[in-house]
Structure formats: C-alpha cells, structure tokens
RNA sequence: GCCGAGGUAGCUCAGUUGGCAGAGCAGAGGCCUGAAAAGCCUCGUGUCCGCAGUUCGAUUCUGCGCCUCGGCA
C-alpha cells in the first residue's frame, strides 16, 4: 500500500468545542494514534493554557506533535508539516489508524494541501525590514513590495506588516516573487486522501463553554504555569508567550493588567479567536461541518461524528 | 416622604439652539501559503422611559406618571 495515499481522518473545530475527549474515545475504538494540529500544544511546559489532553489520556492513546519544542525555540508551519508527515508515515507503517486532531487552520491546510517551496523564516532579515519601516516611515515596505512584486502587493493590505515582510523575505532569499511561488503551488496538490470534519456549535453555546473552560484553567493553576515559564526566563515577547492565556497572565503578573482584566480579556480574545476559526474553516471547501450544539458528553459527540456518512467509511474498516 | 441628578444601540455615554441621532467598548462579517491562539481589513436604526400638551414637525420644550442613582429624613 502506498503510504502517502493512506486516507486521513481529521477532526477540527474551534477551541473548547469538545474535540479532544471525543477524539480520544475514537482513537481507542479504532486502535489509532493522534497527531495534534495545534500551534500551541507543540510547546513543552505550556499545558494548562493550551488545553492539552491529560497524561492519562496520552498514556491511553499515543499522541504526536505535542511537546516537541521549548517555548523559546522557533517553530512554524514548515516544521509542523515535516514532523506531522513523518508521524503519519510512522503510524501507518505500524498499522495503526492515524487521527489528526486540532484547531490550527493553517497547519491543517498545510497537511492537506501542502506548502509552497519557500524559504524558512529569517528572523534577522525580518528585523532589518522592520527597522527600515520604522526609520523610513509607515508604508515604506508596502511601497517597496509594490515595486518588486506588484501582484503580491495588491493582495496584501498595506497595514499587514507581517505578510509584507514575509513577501519581501521570500524575494530577497530566493530572488523570486512570492506571487510566482503561489501561482505555481496554488494549494492544489493533496498528498493524502482525507476527510475533514469541523465540529461546530451555536455561538452562544460555544462562548459559554469557552468561559467555563477558562474558569477551569484558572482554577487548575494557569497563573502558576505562566509564573513558572517566566521564572525559567522565557520572555513575554516570545511567540509562544503570545498565546491566549499566556500573554494575559504574563500581563497580570507583570502589573500591566489587573487580575480581573486579565481574565476578562482572555475570555474575550478566546471568543474572537474562535470566530476566526469559523471564518477560516468556512472557506475550507473540503470541511464537513457537524453541529454538536448542546451536547457536552464526549461519547454523545462521538456518536454524532460516527453517524455522519463521510465518517462511516473509516469506522467500518 | 423631601431635595438633587438622570432615563438615548447589548453596555458606558455624547448630541440634536425643535427638522426622522452618534462615539467607545461588546458584537458581527471577511482576509490569511514558515509568528497563525499571531497579524490584518470592514460593519452603527435604535418605540432617543410612557402618556398628554405646544408646534407644520418633539428624542429635544411644558405637564403628569413610572423607573434608577445620590443626599436628607
């Protein structure tokens, strides 16, 4: 069997929708292993805030792509793609069932449709670009991009510095336009056959669950987790420390926010994040939406997933 | 009970010298190819507390009522 054509079951959904518990039950039923698709759970030591599954759950079902880097190590989609593919091959080779679970849309898109062959991030170069923007005035980088790669400049808003810098970075490192890379790649190659399930709930239901989950995170020691990370010398400026919960509690610990503000902002920002996840997956043409509004029991959630025709074929193996 | 202040968008409030009302926040929609839990864009009609009066016209003025918040009892 061609390993690269092994079908994949992907369970996605916004934060706090109920992916984790249900997918662990499913993995147990199928004798499978879970490949996480979560940009925060890759960080070692960030457990409570990133809502990792428990140690018991991870003992019961083998997990991949969790705790793969320290919070101060750079990590990005490219790293994720390589590691996730490797993990999937390994799972298939060991005759287990691969189950991808997570809410990071970009990671899932990379896994299902690949990534263009661009250069990895170059932090120093990025810093130089940012300095230039600062010294030559706002709009300078976008104007530069308009000259070098007009097609890309049209698509990237002039305030979206992060993407402007990336486009310039690609041009400088490869001497080729980002827009050319994109045209070539076009997100069309699908290395795996897959079924992508997006679990969803009514906004009011999801938002209530988000608040409850954050209350639970706080009760189980989120503040201490953040204090420990800061105590180990991890800067609040790190990408990992910009994650939901981490940046809020770092702000509180450092005195920029009151405890109540930190909590309220964390809840607000998590809801906003969930909204962006909806937007992302709405545009994902292959996503099969399964509404589990009002259902909180993991076994019941699993039943809903399993009875969907697109998922059934996996279960009947 | 008396005195004062106020009742305008989900919340906090601004405003209309009388001509069908507008900010912040919350919220909603969208973008996204190596920072993606990040970053970026767009979006404001609501019995202007109720009833009556004055007026061509009232959310705005007048009267009465209801409610809220202070202070005094």
């Amino acid at each position: 069997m061609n390993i690269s054509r092994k079908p994949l079951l992907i369970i996605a959904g916004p934060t706090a929708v109920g992916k984790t518990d249900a997918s662990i039950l499913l993995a147990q039923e199928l004798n499978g292993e879970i490949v996480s698709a979560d940009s925060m759970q890759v960080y070692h030591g960030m457990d409570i805030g990133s809502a990792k599954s428990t140690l018991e759950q991870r003992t019961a079902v083998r997990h991949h792509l969790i705790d793969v880097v320290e919070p101060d190590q750079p990590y990005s989609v490219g790293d994720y793609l390589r590691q996730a593919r490797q993990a999937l091959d390994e799972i298939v080779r060991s005759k287990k069932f691969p189950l991808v679970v997570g809410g990071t849309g970009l990671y899932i898109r990379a896994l299902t449709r690949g990534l263009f062959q661009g250069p990895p991030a170059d932090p120093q170069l990025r810093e130089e670009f940012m300095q230039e923007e600062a010294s030559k005035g706002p709009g300078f980088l976008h104007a530069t991009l308009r000259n070098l790669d007009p097609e890309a400049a049209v698509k990237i808003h002039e305030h979206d510095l992060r993407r402007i810098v990336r486009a310039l970075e690609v041009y400088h490192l490869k001497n080729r336009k980002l827009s050319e890379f994109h045209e070539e790649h076009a997100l069309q190659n699908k290395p795996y056959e897959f079924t992508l399930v997006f679990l969803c709930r009514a906004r009011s239901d999801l938002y209530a669950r988000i608040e409850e989950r954050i209350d639970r995170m706080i009760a189980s020691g989120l503040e201490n987790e953040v204090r420990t990370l800061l105590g180990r010398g991890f800067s609040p400026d790190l990408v990992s420390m910009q994650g939901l919960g981490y940046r809020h509690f770092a702000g509180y610990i450092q005195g920029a926010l009151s405890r109540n503000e930190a909590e309220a902002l964390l809840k607000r920002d998590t809801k906003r994040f969930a909204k962006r996840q909806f937007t992302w997956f709405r545009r994902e043409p292959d996503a099969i939406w399964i509404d589990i509004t009002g259902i909180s029991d993991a076994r019941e959630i699993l039943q809903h997933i399993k009875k969907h025709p697109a998922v059934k074929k996996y279960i009947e193996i």
Side-chain angles (χ1 to χ4, degrees), chain A residues 5-257:
Chain A
R5 305 302 297 175
K6 176 75 184 180
L8 264 189
L9 181 56
I10 304 170
I11 299 190
T15 15
V17 79
K19 302 183 286 295
T20 305
D21 291 352
S23 56
I24 282 168
L25 292 180
L26 183 56
Q28 284 176 316
E29 280 185 22
L30 300 172
N31 186 28
E33 296 185 4
I34 289 176
V35 175
S36 159
D38 186 301
S39 65
M40 281 294 136
Q41 297 188 358
V42 297
Y43 295 111
H44 181 237
M46 304 183 113
D47 302 335
I48 298 172
S50 74
K52 283 176 194 163
S53 40
T54 64
L55 283 177
E56 297 76 66
Q57 288 174 317
R58 279 186 266 163
T59 306
V61 173
R62 187 163 175 219
H63 282 61
H64 298 77
L65 278 291
I66 286 182
D67 292 345
V68 294
V69 285
E70 292 303 315
D72 59 349
Q73 290 178 295
Y75 195 84
S76 69
V77 223
D79 303 302
Y80 176 78
L81 225 206
R82 276 185 290 280
Q83 296 182 342
R85 280 178 172 164
Q86 204 182 333
L88 288 170
D89 287 348
E90 223 177 276
I91 295 168
V92 172
R93 226 176 285 130
S94 62
K95 304 273 193 282
K96 298 274 191 142
F97 189 95
L99 195 56
V100 176
V101 181
T104 302
L106 181 63
Y107 286 10
I108 291 171
R109 185 172 293 165
L111 203 51
T112 55
R113 294 195 250 161
L115 224 46
F116 78 97
Q117 299 295 310
D122 181 335
Q124 214 176 329
L125 184 59
R126 290 182 180 189
E127 185 51 35
E128 284 169 29
F129 282 129
M130 292 308 282
Q131 298 282 340
E132 219 173 353
E133 176 83 353
S135 63
K136 296 188 178 163
F140 176 78
L141 290 181
H142 195 259
T144 306
L145 185 63
R146 260 202 303 276
N147 282 327
L148 299 176
D149 185 353
E151 293 88 349
V154 168
K155 288 186 186 166
I156 304 172
H157 189 97
E158 53 176 328
H159 293 164
D160 198 349
L161 268 185
R162 203 153 282 191
R163 287 193 174 72
I164 295 169
V165 167
R166 172 58 179 164
L168 292 172
E169 177 182 62
V170 169
Y171 189 84
H172 280 250
L173 259 28
K174 291 278 185 178
N175 205 25
R176 267 193 84 191
K177 298 177 189 174
L178 175 70
S179 56
E180 274 177 38
F181 277 113
H182 282 180
E183 211 178 320
E184 249 172 45
H185 180 74
L187 293 170
Q188 287 313 312
N189 50 334
K190 299 188 177 178
Y192 300 93
E193 249 177 79
F194 62 89
T195 291
L196 170 55
V197 166
F198 182 78
L199 297 178
C200 67
R201 320 180 85 106
R203 227 42 92 79
S204 54
D205 186 38
L206 216 220
Y207 287 0
R209 286 177 62 98
I210 285 172
E211 297 203 2
E212 283 165 27
R213 187 162 82 172
I214 289 171
D215 290 340
R216 256 181 284 128
M217 282 180 180
I218 291 171
S220 50
L222 179 57
E223 182 185 335
N224 259 333
E225 181 168 281
V226 178
R227 280 187 192 281
T228 301
L229 291 164
L230 292 171
R232 285 171 63 196
F234 296 126
S235 159
D237 298 330
L238 289 168
V239 170
S240 57
M241 291 294 276
Q242 293 303 306
L244 293 167
Y246 298 98
R247 71 164 184 268
H248 301 92
F249 271 81
Y252 160 62
I253 290 163
Q254 299 189 316
L257 297 174

Side-chain angles (χ1 to χ4, degrees), chain A residues 253-298:
Chain A
I253 290 163
Q254 299 189 316
L257 297 174
S258 75
R259 171 89 192 207
N260 283 343
E261 282 169 338
E263 189 180 321
L265 289 175
L266 171 55
K267 287 176 177 172
R268 182 197 71 180
D269 292 342
T270 304
K271 291 172 196 170
R272 287 180 175 177
F273 168 54
K275 186 162 84 83
R276 275 181 271 130
Q277 290 177 300
F278 275 100
T279 304
W280 180 282
F281 283 96
R282 244 179 237 134
R283 214 183 56 128
E284 204 53 67
D286 302 303
I288 295 158
W289 287 51
I290 298 182
D291 190 334
I292 52 171
T293 299
I295 305 171
S296 52
D297 183 71

